[in-house]
Amino acid sequence: MMTFGRWFLLALATATVNGEAVQKENLELPASAAAQREAARGLFIDSYEAYMKYAWGHDDLLPVSESYTDGRNGWGASIADAMSTMWIMGLYDWFNQAVNHTATVDFSQSQTDATVSLFETTIRYVGGFLSAYELSGNQYKVLVDKAEQVAQQMAYAWVGDNAIPFGYMNFTGHQPVVDTSNIAEAGTLTLEWNRLSLYTGNDTYRQLAEKAVQYMINMPSPLPGMPAQGIDPATGNAVGGYVTWGGGSDSYFEYLIKYPRLTNTDDNYADAWQTAVDTSMKELLRTSTVDNWLYLADYDDDKKIRHVGSHLACFYGGNWILGGKLTNNDTLVNIGLQLTDACWNTYASTATGIGPEVFAYASSDGNYTGGPAPDDEQTQFYNDHGFYITTADYILRPEVLESNFYAWRVTGDTKYLDNAAHAIESFQKYLPATVAYTGINDVNDIESSLIDDMESFWFAEVLKYLYLTFDDPNHISLDDYVFNTECHPFKAPTAKALYGSGPGPHPVSGSAQPFNAPAAGTAPAPVISPNPALPTPLAQALNL
């Protein structure tokens, strides 16, 4: 049996041909970029100093009330999410302090009464620790140990032969919360658990994550290559037929192209991404009747197009830009750039210069959203800006700035630097709280009330994307690193010449079975689930 280490080395050895570079060749920053980079760093420093004073060791700072909250099991989510940004910004003393604190935390038990989210814990803690381990030159083995400590417990989310994990775990009794999940929660594990297998030598983690995604790639779907948002881990069946690039589905699609770039192995993932993109171009791509803004609509349970958008979904511009480069498809890059511009328009159009949580459009085929029609004020807003606001808050989301970062690194067009500079200015002006910075309830009101919570992804994503936008493009280059959905970078091997099998859609089987599943009568697949009865070999491997 091939060990994970040998498998990974083989993947590196086979990646001998350079593909098309993702980043624009000889990309240079203007002189003004240094001040903006330091402004982003200053936002981080101000925020983290307040966190250390009022919330140290807890998950989130409450910047209005100068207190804290523990919504991520009390393990210090802000510390985990901030570490990779600290290293990139050169804040090494704080980084070392964060490592030392992390070494004292028991991740085998929740520090609160809450259950543990497989998805949130993976992208923040496992992803954050392993990225920090890599960035710091593999110096701090305790980061791998702590990532594995929490993953050991999360492995119980796979029950029996189920391909799909349950979304939440009770660590005390090693029991999952038996409930439905979604494809984002089940399908956003591959990058992190692959790295965990690499650094622990235990291939179980990679197999678990891949098993879930390969199942979803092949399950029957409402649209070709696009599984329904909801899924039942107990049966493996879809729940409803809602299709979206937004929350609940988003990072499943995101990782379909990022995982093959990180591993240089199976074309099935990139092919599945290309199929989803091809379907989206045919079925979901729309333009607004005002200003022709490009967006990806939703497809609901009743097979109706919903002309909705969201801050969360705005990652798709950057994802299509990256995927277009990796698949050598300039059409996808250009569409990604247009999607990015439309999402930036949600920032440029508000009184604060910050984009709202949820919004909507009208297109040539209607304006159905599944919700109420816009009132007179929002109708006028649509006529002025080409979209209207349905949920006006900003909770420190990063996705628009994420796509803007990809657009800058790929094109070198300085309008994306201008966008990021305007965002920094708006954050400095409208987000200050009693201490640090926080979200606001109405992005179209310059005197909006504040939201008393500084989410940990402010450290991991918003401030890192802004900093890197103005940083040396060769530092954390998109040709050298793959970012997880929480913006924690992982070092990637030399790129292949092409990801996927080539242009065009790649039909999936619809068999609801994983790729490379053993044929009937062949040797059984490896045992990779500790539930309901923990197999002895796996128990030994996981030290349980």
Side-chain angles (χ1 to χ4, degrees), residues 195-234:
R195 297 294 89 171
L196 186 59
S197 281
L198 173 64
Y199 294 124
T200 63
N202 185 346
D203 201 30
T204 293
Y205 303 112
R206 176 184 68 87
Q207 292 181 52
L208 284 169
E210 288 189 359
K211 180 183 183 184
V213 175
Q214 293 287 10
Y215 183 93
M216 288 183 284
I217 285 174
N218 281 282
M219 68 186 297
S221 57
L223 295 173
M226 304 195 75
Q229 181 185 56
I231 192 166
D232 185 353

Side-chain angles (χ1 to χ4, degrees), residues 43-72 76-79 81 124 395-396 431-439 451-459:
L43 288 171
F44 183 97
I45 290 171
D46 291 346
S47 299
Y48 199 74
E49 284 180 338
Y51 169 79
M52 289 190 293
K53 183 174 182 179
Y54 296 104
W56 176 252
H58 296 280
D59 290 336
D60 290 352
L61 169 70
L62 302 182
V64 177
S65 57
E66 298 180 332
S67 186
Y68 60 82
T69 184
D70 283 319
R72 300 294 171 208
S78 288
I79 296 172
D81 260 352
R124 297 171 195 247
I395 61 168
L396 309 182
L431 302 188
T434 311
V435 294
Y437 303 87
T438 197
I451 300 170
D452 193 14
D453 188 7
M454 188 175 71
E455 291 260 14
S456 68
F457 50 67
W458 172 248
F459 295 119

Side-chain angles (χ1 to χ4, degrees), residues 389-417:
I389 299 170
T390 56
T391 304
D393 59 332
Y394 174 66
I395 61 168
L396 309 182
R397 294 282 191 205
E399 289 79 15
V400 174
L401 301 174
E402 171 185 354
S403 290
N404 189 75
F405 163 70
Y406 279 90
W408 155 247
R409 287 284 184 94
V410 168
T411 68
D413 189 333
T414 57
K415 76 177 184 180
Y416 299 110
L417 297 181

Side-chain angles (χ1 to χ4, degrees), residues 55-345:
W56 176 252
H58 296 280
D59 290 336
D60 290 352
L61 169 70
L62 302 182
V64 177
S65 57
E66 298 180 332
S67 186
Y68 60 82
T69 184
D70 283 319
R72 300 294 171 208
N73 304 100
W75 291 317
S78 288
I79 296 172
D81 260 352
M83 277 198 284
S84 64
T85 310
M86 289 176 193
W87 189 270
I88 287 169
M89 290 182 174
L91 300 169
Y92 302 123
D93 289 343
W94 283 357
F95 182 91
N96 291 331
Q97 178 192 46
V99 172
N100 290 336
H101 173 80
T102 299
T104 69
V105 178
D106 181 4
F107 290 91
S108 67
Q109 292 292 330
S110 175
Q111 305 303 304
T112 70
D113 293 334
T115 54
V116 179
S117 166
L118 176 65
F119 167 75
E120 299 287 0
T121 305
T122 291
I123 66 172
R124 297 171 195 247
Y125 292 107
V126 178
F129 294 156
L130 296 180
S131 175
Y133 175 71
E134 284 191 359
L135 289 169
S136 58
N138 299 10
Q139 294 182 60
Y140 304 97
K141 179 63 164 52
V142 68
L143 295 173
V144 176
D145 296 340
K146 292 302 179 178
E148 183 170 31
Q149 187 178 47
V150 73
Q152 286 172 352
Q153 304 300 316
M154 291 193 293
Y156 287 94
W158 283 264
V159 174
D161 294 328
N162 292 354
I164 305 301
F166 288 100
Y168 288 82
M169 288 292 306
N170 182 331
F171 275 16
T172 302
H174 302 309
Q175 292 299 315
V177 177
V178 178
D179 200 355
T180 58
S181 186
N182 59 62
I183 62 172
E185 289 184 352
T188 312
L189 312 171
T190 48
L191 269 64
E192 299 84 357
W193 288 46
N194 175 286
R195 297 294 89 171
L196 186 59
S197 281
L198 173 64
Y199 294 124
T200 63
N202 185 346
D203 201 30
T204 293
Y205 303 112
R206 176 184 68 87
Q207 292 181 52
L208 284 169
E210 288 189 359
K211 180 183 183 184
V213 175
Q214 293 287 10
Y215 183 93
M216 288 183 284
I217 285 174
N218 281 282
M219 68 186 297
S221 57
L223 295 173
M226 304 195 75
Q229 181 185 56
I231 192 166
D232 185 353
T235 63
N237 295 330
V239 177
Y242 201 94
V243 174
T244 179
W245 281 80
S249 298
D250 44 8
S251 45
Y252 164 78
F253 295 116
E254 176 187 355
Y255 276 27
L256 286 179
I257 193 62
K258 287 185 171 180
Y259 189 58
R261 175 63 190 94
L262 183 68
T263 61
N264 278 350
T265 52
D266 202 331
D267 279 338
N268 292 324
Y269 298 92
D271 286 349
W273 182 84
Q274 287 183 274
T275 300
V277 165
D278 182 77
T279 293
S280 298
M281 292 171 65
K282 294 175 180 176
E283 305 290 345
L284 305 180
L285 201 60
R286 295 291 189 278
T287 56
S288 63
T289 56
V290 172
D291 294 334
N292 293 317
W293 296 113
L294 200 65
Y295 63 96
L296 293 174
D298 288 1
Y299 178 90
D300 71 13
D301 293 335
D302 297 321
K303 302 183 180 181
K304 292 182 178 179
I305 292 294
R306 294 196 181 189
H307 299 271
V308 295
S310 67
H311 213 134
L312 274 172
C314 277
F315 87 97
Y316 54 38
N319 189 247
W320 283 43
I321 293 169
L322 174 65
K325 281 293 186 180
L326 296 179
T327 59
N328 297 339
N329 189 324
D330 288 341
T331 297
L332 300 186
V333 174
N334 290 333
I335 291 174
L337 292 170
Q338 292 180 68
L339 292 170
T340 298
D341 288 346
C343 284
W344 178 254
N345 180 54

